[in-house]
Amino acid sequence: MNYWLVKSEPFKYSWERFVQDGQTFWDGVRNYQARNNLRAMHSGDLVLFYHSNEGLAVVGVARVVKESYQDPTTEDERWVAVDIEPVETLHTPVTLDAMKREPALANIALIRQGRLSVLPLTKEEFALIRKKGRTS
DNA sequence: GCCAACGTTGGC
DNA sequence: GCCAACGTTGGC
């Protein structure tokens, strides 16, 4: 079981819409590092859903329901998509600012490599963010 | 809306 | 194969 974080601009595709849809395919990634992370996802992996640009916070938890396949939005075989479904909406969004202030999260790619849109988390990092979202 | 970071492209 | 130019992302 692996843990991930994906970014979406709420204007393009928000958590609220994702919950309404019940499932979505995660496509449009055009960055090799992000693509490699998508490819490494397995069914059942848990994914934090982060709102970039607006919100700047982790707002929910999702689960991978279908492993990587050819991105349906392009003919280009380099790119892949995965299917995910919502698991839970966080009681309180965990803001980027809060994560920056958390020493245990100093090394996550969200902070160190701001532009990466699909990134891995350790089990501990994932658990900490989820816990903050449930309680704080 | 600006700008920093960083990935990609293309000329040499 | 280097590196400058350019494009994109995302925080502020």
Side-chain angles (χ1 to χ4, degrees):
Chain A
M1 165 92 96
N2 293 308
Y3 301 89
W4 311 93
L5 184 149
V6 298
K7 297 180 183 176
S8 181
E9 300 183 35
F11 281 134
K12 286 186 187 165
Y13 193 82
S14 69
W15 172 258
E16 289 72 24
R17 180 146 160 240
F18 180 37
V19 170
Q20 279 174 17
D21 289 350
Q23 180 169 337
T24 194
F25 56 97
W26 208 255
D27 66 330
V29 169
R30 296 291 182 270
N31 167 287
Y32 288 111
Q33 214 179 335
R35 189 276 315 267
N36 291 343
N37 289 332
L38 277 186
R39 273 192 183 158
M41 287 184 184
H42 296 297
S43 293
D45 283 1
L46 292 175
V47 182
L48 295 177
F49 194 105
Y50 175 82
H51 276 166
S52 64
N53 281 318
E54 283 258 323
L56 304 186
V58 174
V59 290
V61 181
R63 181 190 295 119
V64 177
V65 291
K66 185 177 176 188
E67 300 182 12
S68 68
Y69 54 93
Q70 167 71 37
D71 186 337
T73 64
T74 178
E75 299 286 302
D76 194 327
E77 293 179 0
R78 291 176 297 173
W79 309 118
V80 300
V82 300
D83 288 357
I84 58 176
E85 66 179 7
V87 174
E88 70 182 38
T89 301
L90 291 183
H91 177 256
T92 309
V94 181
T95 64
L96 179 63
D97 195 49
M99 290 187 275
K100 280 183 175 171
R101 281 188 271 108
E102 180 60 58
L105 300 176
N107 286 324
I108 63 175
L110 181 70
I111 291 164
R112 294 205 319 183
Q113 198 179 346
R115 293 180 58 233
L116 188 61
S117 60
V118 181
L119 51 107
L121 295 172
T122 67
K123 185 177 182 178
E124 291 73 23
E125 290 159 352
F126 176 89
L128 178 58
I129 296 169
R130 188 185 209 178
K131 178 161 168 278
K132 281 175 167 293
R134 280 174 165 164
T135 57
S136 58

